Amino acid sequence: MTMHNEDVAAAFEEMADLLAIRGENSFRIRAYRRAAQVVRGLARQLADLGGTEAFDELPGIGTDLAAKIAELLETGHARALEKLRKQVPAGLRELLALPGLGPVRVRALYSGLNVEGIEDLRGALADGRLAELRGFGPKIRSQLLAATAAASSGPRRVAFSVATQYARPLKAYLERVAGVTRVEIAGSYRRGRDTVGDIDVVVCAAEGAAPIQALERYDDLQSLNAAGTTKASGVLRNGLPLDIRVLPKESFGAALHYLTGSRDHVVQVRRLAQKKGLKLSEYGLFRGAKRLAGATEEGVYAALGLQWIPPELRENLGEIAAAQRRALPMLIERADLQGDLHAHTSASDGNDSLKKMAAAAQTRGLRYLAVTDHSKYLGITRGLDAARLARQMDEIDKLNATLSDLTLLKGAEVDILEDGSLAMADAVLKRLDLVVIAVHSQFGLSEAKQTRRILRALERPYVSILAHPFGRLLGGRPGYPLDFERVLAAARDRPCYLEINSQPTRLDLDDAYAKRARDGGALLSIASDAHSADQLDYLDDGVRQARRGWVTKDDVLNARPLHELRALLRDTLR
DNA sequence: GCCGTTTTCGGCCCGACTGTTTTCAGTCG
C-alpha cells in the first residue's frame, strides 16, 4: 500500500491520543500532534521528499519522528503505534473525542469502571455506576449523557458558503447591541478555509455582559453551554458550534489575532514574543505589566518585527518567517481579476441566457467572459454538439458587436473520456478561443489510470485549461487519486493552465494544491464555473482559496488584460 | 519528542470557564 501524507498524519495523531490516554508527558504528545500538522500541510508527498535526512529537516520533526515516517512509508506500519494499540483499548479514542472528556477523565473511566468506549459509557451512565466515580459530579454526567447521544450524529464541518449564511446575520445582530463598537467573525472563517468547524466571534465592547446576554436571546441560537463575563460558547440551530469573546478596544486587535488562529500560527507568534522577553495573549502584547500593543493586529505584528500577515496565510506554513523577512507575497485580490474563463448558459446546463450572463459580467466589472458550455456527452444534460456550438459562436459574434466594455470568448467545456481522448473533434475545437477540459465520469479509476488519462488529454492539440483537476465535491466525494506532480509538470510545459474552480462545493484546486501549482510554475485560472448570472460572484470564493495558496496576481491567467490573455491562449491551441 | 544569537539540558503559549472542591484540576480554544 502507498502511504500518503494524510496516512502518516493520522498515525501520528493516533499515537498522540494513545500517549495522552496513557498519561505520558504532554510535550511529547504535543510533538506528535505538531508533526501530524506539519505533515498534513506539506506541499509535496513525503515519498517524493527523499529519506530520513529530508524528514529530519522538517520543522518539529527530529531524528525519532523522521525514522517513524520512514518506517511508515516503507512498511505501512509503525511498531511504536502497534505497541500502543495493544496497550490502550481502541474505544478510548472515541471517548477522548467527546466534549468534556480529556485524557485524565478517560483514564479514570477506564481504570475505575472498565469503560472502554462510548457504549460502555452509556451503560455506566444509565445504571448509576458513574455517579460513584470521583470527579464525575451531576453536571459532568449530564454533559456526558448529551455527548454520548450526540456522538452518533457526529461533529462536522460545513462549507464556507453555509457558514456565511449564519455568520453574517449573527454579526449584524451583535453590532446592534448597545455598547458594541465592532464585531468580527474570526477563526477558520476569517482565514477563508473551504470548510468551517465553528463560528468564532470577537466583539469589541467596554463591558462583556451585555453582548453575552444579547446572545442568549438570539433567535438562531440552540443552546449556550458556557457563559462567563467575557466569553461564551454555544451551538447554533444548524448544529454549528459558536464561540464568542468580548474585549475592550485596547485589546481588540490582540483578541482578533488570537481568535483568528490558526492555533499553530498563534502559538508560533507567542513563542516569538516569548523569545523577545514579551508576553502575547488575547489582551495584548506585554513587557511586564506594560502593554506594547493590542488595539490592532497591525500593531501586534509590528511590535514583534513582523509584517501584518493576511488571515488566509495564518497556518504556520512559513508565513511567520516570510513576514520577518518582509517577504510576504502580494496576494491576489478579486479586483485583480479581469475576466472569467469558465461559465455556462442555458444552451447547456446553465440557467441564464448568453445575454444575461454578459450583462452580469459587465455589472461586475469583468472585461471578458468565456462561454464554456458542455460538450455533448453522456451524463451532461443538453450538451452541445458541433452544430449547436457553431450556432452559439455566431450568436457570440453578434453579441460582441454590440458590447463595448466586455468581450465574450468562444469556448467549450469538453469531457475527458476514459481513454484520455476528448468528447469533441479537433476540427471543432480549433475554431474556439479556448478549450476547457474536465473529467466528469469514471472517478473510481486507480491513480495510475486516472493520471494517464489526464496526461493523454494534455497531449491533445487544442487544450487550454484543465478544470476542477481533482473532481472533488465538498461533503460529496473526495478527489480522485492523481499523481499531481506529473500532471503539473505536463500542464506547465505544454502549456495548459490549471483551474481553481470557485464553486463553493468544489474549490478545486484546493488551497494546498494551488500552492503546489504556483510553486511548480503553473499559471492558474480562477474561474466561477457559473451556471447562472448570480454565480459569477463565486469568483470571491475562488480568490479566497487562491490567497490561501499564496497566489499572487502574476500567477493568475485571468488577471491579465485581454490582449495578453489572447496571446497566452493561442499558445494552448496548436 | 523537539529545539537552541540566552541553553545539547531544561524548557516547551496563554487564559477563561466549569465543576467539585476547599484551593484547584481538567478541558477547551
Side-chain angles (χ1 to χ4, degrees), chain A residues 382-394:
Chain A
R382 308 193 63 234
L384 273 61
D385 57 18
R388 289 182 61 212
L389 182 59
R391 281 204 294 280
Q392 185 183 62
M393 290 168 72
D394 289 341

Side-chain angles (χ1 to χ4, degrees), chain A residues 27-248:
Chain A
F27 298 107
R28 189 175 164 221
I29 293 158
R30 188 187 297 173
Y32 277 95
R33 294 204 194 283
R34 167 115 203 272
Q37 190 85 19
V38 166
V39 166
R40 192 164 277 138
L42 283 180
R44 299 177 54 198
Q45 287 295 313
L46 284 163
D48 300 334
L49 220 55
T52 314
E53 299 81 20
F55 306 149
D56 199 356
E57 295 296 304
L58 296 170
I61 291 175
T63 320
D64 187 281
L65 289 174
K68 288 194 172 72
I69 293 174
E71 184 189 0
L72 280 163
L73 292 181
E74 282 163 26
T75 69
H77 304 279
R79 278 162 298 171
L81 176 55
E82 305 297 328
K83 195 172 161 192
L84 279 168
R85 280 177 177 160
K86 288 196 185 103
Q87 294 165 338
V88 181
L92 295 188
R93 266 195 98 197
E94 61 184 27
L95 289 180
L96 194 62
L98 293 181
L101 283 188
V104 176
R105 288 188 187 131
V106 167
R107 215 162 42 247
L109 286 169
Y110 178 52
S111 63
L113 298 176
N114 270 322
V115 167
E116 292 191 4
I118 288 183
E119 274 313 310
D120 291 350
L121 178 58
R122 283 203 186 99
L125 280 160
D127 63 21
R129 278 180 296 142
L130 196 61
E132 293 160 23
L133 199 58
R134 185 180 166 77
F136 289 82
K139 290 286 181 63
I140 287 180
R141 291 203 304 277
S142 75
Q143 189 187 349
L144 289 179
L145 203 58
T148 53
S152 40
S153 65
R156 61 187 207 291
R157 300 180 70 88
V158 300
F160 180 94
S161 55
V162 173
T164 297
Q165 295 164 31
Y166 288 86
R168 285 200 176 150
L170 175 61
K171 174 167 148 69
Y173 172 79
L174 289 169
E175 279 168 344
R176 289 195 300 271
V177 174
V180 170
T181 56
R182 192 176 164 193
V183 179
E184 292 296 337
I185 309 295
S188 53
Y189 180 88
R190 182 162 180 250
R191 301 201 308 281
R193 278 195 56 174
D194 50 13
T195 58
V196 172
D198 65 357
I199 303 284
D200 294 296
V201 191
V202 195
V203 175
C204 185
E207 196 268 322
I212 287 173
Q213 282 163 12
L215 185 64
E216 288 177 28
R217 296 190 301 271
Y218 186 55
D219 263 354
D220 265 348
L221 187 81
Q222 185 183 91
S223 62
L224 213 55
N225 311 325
T229 54
T230 74
K231 171 175 171 169
S233 61
V235 180
L236 291 173
R237 254 192 213 163
N238 68 339
L240 206 56
L242 168 77
D243 282 297
I244 180 171
R245 286 297 294 265
V246 186
L247 292 105

Side-chain angles (χ1 to χ4, degrees), chain A residues 309-490:
Chain A
I309 301 176
E312 294 93 331
L313 296 185
R314 299 183 194 172
E315 299 290 344
N316 192 27
L317 293 172
E319 74 280 6
I320 295 170
Q324 276 178 312
R325 298 195 309 271
R326 318 208 78 70
L328 285 173
M330 284 284 291
L331 299 181
I332 180 94
E333 294 178 5
R334 168 63 184 82
D336 293 327
L337 296 187
Q338 305 275 316
D340 188 352
L341 299 175
H342 185 168
H344 298 269
T345 73
S346 46
S348 67
D349 61 349
N351 291 339
D352 290 321
S353 67
L354 191 58
K355 214 167 178 174
K356 193 163 174 195
M357 293 300 290
Q362 281 178 309
T363 61
R364 285 162 179 76
L366 298 180
R367 308 308 302 270
Y368 48 84
L369 174 69
V371 180
T372 56
D373 276 312
H374 288 283
S375 59
K376 190 178 175 64
Y377 183 59
L378 62 117
I380 304 289
T381 49
R382 308 193 63 234
L384 273 61
D385 57 18
R388 289 182 61 212
L389 182 59
R391 281 204 294 280
Q392 185 183 62
M393 290 168 72
D394 289 341
E395 200 185 337
I396 288 173
D397 280 335
K398 277 184 200 141
L399 195 49
N400 267 339
T402 71
L403 297 168
S404 54
D405 49 357
L406 177 79
T407 301
L408 294 171
L409 298 171
K410 297 167 195 162
E413 179 176 7
V414 183
D415 283 284
I416 302 174
L417 307 184
E418 190 181 348
D419 64 357
S421 61
L422 300 180
M424 199 169 260
D426 288 345
V428 180
L429 301 180
K430 187 178 180 175
R431 302 176 50 212
L432 297 168
D433 293 316
L434 79 166
V435 176
V436 175
I437 60 170
V439 166
H440 291 108
S441 61
Q442 303 285 350
F443 301 106
L445 296 184
S446 68
E447 177 176 322
K449 282 187 179 163
Q450 199 67 271
T451 303
R452 190 166 64 234
R453 173 190 194 182
I454 292 175
L455 290 176
R456 281 194 182 150
L458 289 174
E459 288 169 2
R460 304 300 309 161
Y462 306 103
V463 165
S464 312
I465 293 169
L466 175 62
H468 43 77
F470 281 89
R472 75 157 178 176
L473 289 177
L474 283 170
R477 59 168 184 256
Y480 38 71
L482 200 60
D483 185 339
F484 186 67
E485 296 302 327
R486 290 182 66 195
V487 170
L488 170 60

Side-chain angles (χ1 to χ4, degrees), chain A residues 182 184 186 190 202 251-260 297:
Chain A
R182 192 176 164 193
E184 292 296 337
R190 182 162 180 250
V202 195
S251 295
F252 188 79
L256 185 58
H257 174 257
Y258 161 64
L259 275 142
T260 296
E297 273 191 339

